[in-house]
Amino acid sequence: MAASNIVPIEPPGIFLKVELEERGWSQRDLAFILGQTEQQLNTLLSGKRGITPDMARLLGDAFDVHPQFFLNLQAQYDLQNAKEPDPAVRTRAHLQALFPIREMIRRGWIQDGEASLLELQMNRFSEAANDREFTQIAFAAKKTHYDETPSHQMAWVYRVRQLSREMSVTEFSNEALKNALPKLRSLMVDPELIAEVPAILAECGVRFVIVEVLPGAKIDGVCTWLDDNSPVIGMSTLYDRVDNFWFVLRHEIEHILQGDGKQTIGIIDHLSGEGLSAGEAESDIERIANDAAADFCVSKQKMDSFYLRKNPYFSERDVIGFAALMGVHPGIVVGQLQRRMKRHDYLRKYQVPIRKYLVTSTMADGWGHSVRAEL
């Protein structure tokens, strides 16, 4: 290793000795000026005692120099002689800047340990190509912002991918997935039947994973591909409601049918329900997926007809009757009416929770339970 070119910084007391010589003062003279004993001053001049803020003010008056000058001398000397920091500090800072490491440890996605172990785990978790390069996988995700993908949302996508690799499904068939849509549609009458969804998707070669979002993340679902023939649907059930589930699921299925997300990074659209931002621009890809999802839940033509006939007075009886006619749970009709009416409180009792039916029938991570998965 080449010798360092850094010149060692002398203790501030050495500077004081040089200044005394320049002025023709003795140590006793300076002690007199400062109002201190020679013994007190000796420890300062020998470097055994540092310059405190009080002493800096005294020396400033004595030598007619700003006190900060002496504090700077002391700070530079102290910094030079400070212990070398643990290299792990820089590594942990680098990792935390990329991903919410602490929260990931709490959730059991990675294990706490030495910095080198954390870095190795994160390289594997994030599918990194090498030690300092974290890849961005291609995915089509439903979330709030178009202009960025925050780290806690990317971490969520990586977790979906990680868990999906633990699953075994049949070979993917686009035709089989299309043919499964009527069977999936028949389950919409009863929330408990949602438990059958993961198995139906697996028969088509689609992996289905449920992962709780990290704090602050706003993401409903994701369509991602492990390779060109291995699609994955990840859902967060952020809005744990029957209408939201079916809309998001059908939306992600359409992404798969269209082959979205194989090559493009961050094909993103709005949240459903209360998170839907009226007036935001939609890409053609997202518009296709949204239209497919809405029509799957309730035929747009029939929904338009019902709305025009009953608007502005929608009785509970009317809603239940129309839902029965459409062969869906009333909560699905309620969800569409809420968006049209911009009244998210309307008949909310029918928007029943569904997560409890999913966590026992598919790979599910979160809500107090962590899945062990290989990195």
Side-chain angles (χ1 to χ4, degrees):
M1 182 182 292
S4 173
N5 293 324
I6 299 176
V7 179
I9 299 174
E10 300 283 1
I14 300 300
F15 169 82
L16 293 177
K17 285 182 178 180
V18 172
E19 190 63 25
L20 288 177
E21 291 178 7
E22 290 290 328
R23 293 173 182 256
W25 291 355
S26 67
Q27 182 174 324
R28 184 171 296 176
D29 292 333
L30 182 58
F32 165 74
I33 293 170
L34 298 177
Q36 296 194 343
T37 65
E38 288 186 62
Q39 290 77 13
Q40 288 176 309
L41 190 58
N42 186 56
T43 57
L44 180 64
L45 296 177
S46 64
K48 295 178 180 177
R49 176 163 64 99
I51 297 176
T52 64
D54 287 341
M55 178 56 72
R57 294 182 72 106
L58 289 175
L59 293 171
D61 285 349
F63 292 107
D64 194 24
V65 175
H66 196 283
Q68 190 63 49
F69 172 78
F70 295 102
L71 289 177
N72 290 342
L73 284 177
Q74 186 65 50
Q76 292 173 25
Y77 176 74
D78 290 343
L79 186 61
Q80 174 187 263
N81 290 278
K83 280 173 46 177
E84 284 293 324
D86 184 349
V89 172
R90 188 179 295 274
T91 299
R92 287 195 294 266
H94 169 73
L95 294 175
Q96 187 66 35
L98 292 170
F99 287 106
I101 302 296
R102 286 194 310 108
E103 185 61 28
M104 293 169 66
I105 291 172
R106 188 189 71 79
R107 289 280 296 274
W109 296 5
I110 58 173
Q111 301 301 310
D112 198 1
E114 295 181 355
S116 58
L117 178 60
L118 283 176
E119 188 166 38
L120 176 62
Q121 290 182 86
M122 283 308 303
N123 285 338
R124 292 175 176 173
F125 180 86
S126 62
E127 307 170 26
N130 53 55
D131 283 351
R132 290 289 179 180
E133 180 181 331
F134 291 88
T135 61
Q136 274 202 319
I137 57 172
F139 68 97
K142 293 176 56 57
K143 66 183 192 63
T144 49
H145 303 297
Y146 284 80
D147 57 346
E148 61 180 7
T149 305
S151 62
H152 51 318
Q153 292 179 341
M154 282 304 302
W156 183 88
V157 175
Y158 282 128
R159 180 61 167 173
V160 167
R161 288 172 63 83
Q162 180 192 40
L163 296 182
S164 69
R165 290 192 176 90
E166 303 290 314
M167 305 173 69
S168 296
V169 297
T170 62
E171 185 178 353
F172 172 64
S173 166
N174 217 50
E175 193 64 28
L177 185 56
K178 284 181 184 177
N179 293 337
L181 290 176
K183 188 173 182 180
L184 289 170
R185 183 64 170 68
S186 70
L187 305 180
M188 295 176 69
V189 69
D190 185 350
E192 292 188 24
L193 296 178
I194 284 174
E196 299 179 23
V197 168
I200 295 173
L201 293 175
E203 290 172 2
C204 304
V206 178
R207 292 166 170 85
F208 181 75
V209 180
I210 301 292
V211 178
E212 181 184 5
V213 293
L214 294 169
K218 294 281 189 180
I219 189 165
D220 277 340
V222 65
C223 162
T224 184
W225 300 73
L226 300 182
D227 56 51
D228 282 352
N229 217 29
S230 300
V232 179
I233 291 177
M235 288 182 63
S236 68
T237 62
L238 180 62
Y239 296 102
D240 185 15
R241 302 191 312 249
V242 63
D243 60 310
N244 187 263
F245 170 79
W246 284 110
F247 186 89
V248 175
L249 177 69
R250 182 61 182 88
H251 181 105
E252 305 308 336
I253 288 175
E254 189 63 22
H255 275 316
I256 293 176
L257 294 175
Q258 298 293 333
D260 299 336
K262 285 186 178 181
Q263 305 298 328
T264 307
I265 294 176
I267 304 175
I268 300 165
D269 76 319
H270 308 34
L271 283 171
S272 300
E274 293 91 331
L276 186 63
S277 300
E280 287 190 5
E282 284 183 313
S283 67
D284 289 340
I285 290 173
E286 291 304 317
R287 188 175 297 108
I288 290 169
N290 278 336
D291 289 347
D295 202 55
F296 179 78
C297 292
V298 181
S299 162
K300 183 178 185 302
Q301 181 181 359
K302 292 177 180 178
M303 189 70 213
D304 287 344
S305 175
F306 174 73
Y307 192 83
L308 289 172
R309 283 187 292 109
K310 300 296 182 178
N311 188 43
Y313 304 110
F314 300 96
S315 71
E316 186 171 346
R317 181 178 177 179
D318 288 338
V319 170
I320 294 173
F322 180 65
L325 185 64
M326 295 295 99
V328 298
H329 186 270
I332 294 169
V333 175
V334 167
Q336 294 219 9
L337 286 175
Q338 286 179 350
R339 281 190 287 274
R340 291 181 179 227
M341 298 163 62
K342 294 183 173 56
R343 279 192 53 194
H344 296 293
D345 60 333
Y346 176 70
L347 293 181
R348 196 155 193 167
K349 66 181 181 180
Y350 287 105
Q351 292 176 307
V352 295
I354 47 79
R355 184 186 302 134
K356 58 188 175 183
Y357 305 121
L358 286 169
V359 294
T360 57
S361 62
T362 192
M363 185 77 74
D365 178 85
W367 306 283
H369 173 70
S370 180
V371 177
R372 294 294 297 271
E374 285 223 17
L375 286 171

